[in-house]
């Protein structure tokens, strides 16, 4: 899924830096708790002080819980990711700049990336998390505000705007291009490929067949977040947030498959997707599809995320929409 790509800024996207706390969140359609101007202003930090950030409620238990040791997975200009051991298994927390993809496992700083790593530490370096703070190298971050990565939709089974769905599909697949011709770099194409199998499951309205396709997609593709995982994250989150009756079973199946078959970061993002927690960019598209916010810029921002990540997530969302329409709604 290329949410992180070593050849890019760490999230594979070129964005316009935004030095304000509210501007970046507003574009992503994410509600936040405003901070006093003095607290939100970026600037040099004194030794021993904590840098404020907007924290996802998806990591609240880890951040507020007991202090525990962690290790650095990756440090790049747009993010530093930590692997955190928990009784339930390893988890991942990220410190993200304001122009990075707004992932549900992140603390978002009030500054854009500046071409240097968020903190100059190597992979494997020690870190600590808990007691309201995250410390890695000479960087200490604490939550000055919280944001909810699970988008608030009108009902448990929201009705999507038909024209909005057509707009999403047109932007993803292209005008006049058959869905069968859609390909993602890093994923096998053709009639025997996993995307074709997924399309076939949707045509038959067969959620179990779609879940079986997950065995072919999980971990498929290069990078810390393979494209196959991004597709599955989009399907899983879409089914959960659109109220499909098999959503919990599908999410449990996908997260179970992820154990030992893909990267630590990708496993964590799939677990968040199974709980309906998604990136701000994905959430903005869903909200636009129910008439809450401008849809066209939200789609453009999602599709521009990463080298393949946003397109793969959008494909997963379209797949979820089709499964919901074919299997749980009156025709």
């Amino acid at each position: 899924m290329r949410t992180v790509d070593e050849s890019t800024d760490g999230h594979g996207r070129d964005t316009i830096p935004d030095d304000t706390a509210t501007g970046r969140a507003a574009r992503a359609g994410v509600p936040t708790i405003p901070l006093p101007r003095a607290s939100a202003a970026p600037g040099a930090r004194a030794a021993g002080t904590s840098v404020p950030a907007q924290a996802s409620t998806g990591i609240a238990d880890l951040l507020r819980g007991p202090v525990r040791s962690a290790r650095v997975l990756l440090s790049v200009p747009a993010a530093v990711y930590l692997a955190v051991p928990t009784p339930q298994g390893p988890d991942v927390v990220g410190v993200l700049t304001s122009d990075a993809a707004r992932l549900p496992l992140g603390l978002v700083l009030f500054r854009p990336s500046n071409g240097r790593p968020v903190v100059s530490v190597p992979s494997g370096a020690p870190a600590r998390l808990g007691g309201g703070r995250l410390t890695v190298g000479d960087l200490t971050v604490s939550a000055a505000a919280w944001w909810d990565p699970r988008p608030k939709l009108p009902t448990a089974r929201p009705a999507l705007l038909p024209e909005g769905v057509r707009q999403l599909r047109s932007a993803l697949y292209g005008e006049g291009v058959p869905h069968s011709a859609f390909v993602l770099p890093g994923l096998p194409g053709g009639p025997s490929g996993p995307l074709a199998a997924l399309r076939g499951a949707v045509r038959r309205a067969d959620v179990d067949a779609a879940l079986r396709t997950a065995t072919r997609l999980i971990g498929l593709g290069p990078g810390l977040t393979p494209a196959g995982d991004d597709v599955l994250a989009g399907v899983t989150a879409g089914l959960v947030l659109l109220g499909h009756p098999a959503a919990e079973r599908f999410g449990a199946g996908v997260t179970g498959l992820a154990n030992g078959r893909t990267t630590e970061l990708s496993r964590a993002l799939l677990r968040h997707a199974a709980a309906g927690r998604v990136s701000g960019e994905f959430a903005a598209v869903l909200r636009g599809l129910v008439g809450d916010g401008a849809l066209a810029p939200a789609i453009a921002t999602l599709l521009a995320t990463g080298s393949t990540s946003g397109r793969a997530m959008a494909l997963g969302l379209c797949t979820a929409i089709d499964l919901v329409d074919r299997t749980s709604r009156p025709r």
Side-chain angles (χ1 to χ4, degrees):
M1 71 179 138
R2 295 276 182 148
T3 302
V4 175
D5 186 332
E6 290 84 346
S7 66
T8 67
D9 69 352
H11 294 277
R13 52 184 300 203
D14 296 320
T15 57
I16 300 173
D18 184 348
D19 288 329
T20 69
T22 56
R24 179 70 178 86
R27 289 204 305 276
V30 178
T32 62
I33 304 170
L35 294 175
R37 182 176 298 274
S39 299
R45 63 182 184 275
T49 62
S50 178
V51 175
Q54 293 176 326
S56 164
T57 56
I59 59 170
D61 289 345
L62 285 174
L63 190 59
R64 291 169 167 166
V67 176
R68 66 187 80 202
S69 297
R71 63 179 172 83
V72 174
L73 281 177
L74 180 71
S75 179
V76 291
V80 57
Y81 294 103
L82 307 182
V84 185
T86 76
Q88 295 75 37
D91 211 333
V92 176
V93 172
V95 178
L96 314 170
T97 58
S98 61
D99 53 343
R102 195 180 184 93
L103 300 181
L105 47 71
L107 295 104
V108 183
L109 301 174
F110 297 111
R111 67 163 180 85
S113 57
N114 58 12
R116 298 189 301 273
V118 170
V119 59
S120 296
V121 291
S123 298
R128 296 180 73 78
L129 174 71
R133 293 190 172 197
L134 180 156
T135 299
V136 53
D138 64 353
L139 176 67
T140 296
V141 182
S142 60
W146 294 90
W147 61 280
D148 189 349
R150 178 164 178 143
K152 291 177 172 59
L153 302 177
T155 63
R157 295 190 181 185
L160 305 184
L161 300 173
E163 180 54 38
V165 173
R166 285 192 291 270
Q167 187 176 351
L168 173 61
R169 288 175 176 150
S170 176
L172 175 63
Y173 297 114
E175 291 286 354
V177 178
H179 296 185
S180 59
F182 183 83
V183 295
L184 281 171
L187 297 185
S192 61
L195 295 184
L198 189 60
R199 286 191 296 269
V202 171
R203 283 196 300 271
R204 300 190 301 275
D206 190 338
V207 176
D208 290 324
L211 185 54
R212 288 193 296 272
T213 305
T215 62
R216 302 175 60 188
L217 283 169
I218 202 80
L220 189 61
L224 286 180
T225 56
D229 295 354
D230 266 330
V231 173
L232 292 172
V235 176
T236 300
L239 292 177
V240 170
L241 294 168
L242 297 177
H244 193 285
E248 184 175 352
R249 178 164 57 88
F250 190 93
V254 168
T255 54
L257 285 170
N259 292 327
R261 300 184 64 170
T262 190
T263 66
E264 291 176 273
L265 177 59
S266 211
R267 284 198 304 271
L269 290 171
L270 286 167
R271 287 194 297 271
H272 282 282
R277 296 189 292 263
V278 295
S279 71
E281 293 78 9
F282 189 93
V285 171
L286 261 178
R287 293 177 62 213
L289 288 172
V290 298
D292 181 14
L295 180 58
I299 292 173
T301 299
L302 177 62
L303 295 184
T305 302
S307 56
T308 62
S309 182
R311 293 177 65 79
M313 288 286 291
L315 174 63
L317 176 56
C318 286
T319 301
I321 291 170
D322 288 340
L323 282 170
V324 168
D325 283 342
R326 290 171 181 264
T327 61
S328 65
R329 287 179 177 161
R331 303 298 293 175

